[in-house]
Amino acid sequence: MLTCVIRYQIDPTKKALFEEYARNWGQAIPRCGADLIGYFAPHEGSATLAYGIYNIRSLAAYEEYRARLAADPLGRENYEFAQQEKFLLREDRTFLKLVSTPHGMGEHQ
């Protein structure tokens, strides 16, 4: 299992538009095959950093998911919405692998 962390730099004057974008992904991402953890908008501290986080089985599964997302009507609309409104200034993806668990989880009793 991989966790994809998308780090966004957003226009702080358009935070409400990012939040609408995030809510749309909240519907489209799970429908297209990823396990959405959530989208996070700035609250305190930096006014420009936001995150989208989801789990996916593998990089091959990610490629299949991206194709489904691009074909999804809400997915296409959301991509276009972001391009039209220009609230995303930068977007970076990192794929992480969980290498630890909280104490007590996964231990045999």
Side-chain angles (χ1 to χ4, degrees):
M1 183 69 66
L2 298 174
T3 299
C4 179
V5 177
I6 308 168
R7 180 179 179 236
Y8 297 98
Q9 181 181 2
I10 65 170
D11 180 333
T13 66
K14 298 181 178 182
K15 181 178 153 189
L17 294 175
F18 175 79
E19 290 174 358
E20 180 179 344
Y21 174 80
R23 285 189 296 274
N24 290 337
W25 285 139
Q27 296 174 47
I29 287 173
R31 180 171 59 231
C32 291
D35 175 23
L36 180 64
I37 294 169
Y39 267 73
F40 301 85
H43 177 71
E44 187 70 28
S46 173
T48 61
L49 291 180
Y51 297 88
I53 305 171
Y54 61 87
N55 292 318
I56 196 87
R57 282 189 333 274
S58 65
L59 289 177
Y62 171 75
E63 293 302 325
E64 295 167 3
Y65 152 78
R66 292 286 292 179
R68 285 190 299 272
L69 197 60
D72 183 84
L74 181 56
R76 280 195 314 270
E77 286 175 22
N78 219 27
Y79 283 125
E80 292 169 8
F81 173 60
Q83 290 177 342
Q84 181 181 25
E85 297 296 334
K86 300 186 184 335
F87 51 87
L88 299 179
L89 305 177
R90 184 180 173 132
E91 181 177 336
D92 298 307
R93 276 179 182 70
T94 301
F95 291 89
L96 304 171
K97 179 180 175 183
L98 181 65
V99 295
S100 69
T101 58
H103 180 72
M105 291 185 65
E107 293 180 3
H108 297 290
Q109 308 244 343

